[in-house]
């Protein structure tokens, strides 16, 4: 495993380890729309960032290109996933 992959997986682990506490914090912030929105936005950015990094690394390894922005623009991620799996 490359050092770069270890760093990527360590970053994923860091985000994953914080999801539980962030979720509880968001539950307590829910009555405050501005703080709740900011928390959701921060968590969303972290998840998108690590997701894009994982997708890009996978593409480097197997030569498959997947535009991460296409995932963000998909209205129904389940439909997009089915389409992606059916491609050669």
């Amino acid at each position: 495993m490359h050092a770069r992959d270890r760093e990527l997986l360590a970053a994923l682990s860091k985000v994953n380890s914080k999801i539980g506490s962030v979720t509880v914090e968001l539950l307590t912030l829910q009555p405050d729309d501005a703080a709740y929105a900011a928390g959701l936005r921060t968590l969303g950015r972290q998840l998108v960032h690590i997701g894009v990094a994982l997708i890009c690394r996978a593409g480097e390894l197997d030569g498959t290109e997947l535009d991460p922005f296409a995932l963000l623009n998909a209205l129904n991620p389940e439909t997009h996933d089915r389409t992606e799996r059916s491609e050669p």
Side-chain angles (χ1 to χ4, degrees):
M1 180 181 295
H2 295 246
R4 185 169 159 214
D5 294 319
R6 282 190 291 277
E7 290 172 11
L8 180 60
L9 294 175
L12 174 60
S13 178
K14 184 177 178 181
V15 170
N16 185 50
S17 70
K18 293 181 178 181
I19 287 179
S21 62
V22 169
T23 301
V24 171
E25 183 179 340
L26 286 171
L27 288 169
T28 63
L29 290 174
Q30 228 171 356
D32 180 351
D33 287 346
Y36 184 64
L40 289 175
R41 192 171 292 110
T42 297
L43 179 59
R45 284 182 180 144
Q46 290 172 347
L47 292 170
V48 167
H49 177 77
I50 197 68
V52 168
L54 291 167
I55 289 168
C56 290
R57 180 59 178 143
E60 291 171 8
L61 292 170
D62 66 9
T64 302
E65 287 191 30
L66 175 62
D67 179 6
F69 296 105
L71 294 174
L72 295 174
N73 293 326
L75 294 177
N76 184 347
E78 292 176 4
T79 301
H80 181 78
D81 287 346
R82 282 194 299 271
T83 303
E84 183 181 327
R85 283 193 293 269
S86 66
E87 293 176 358

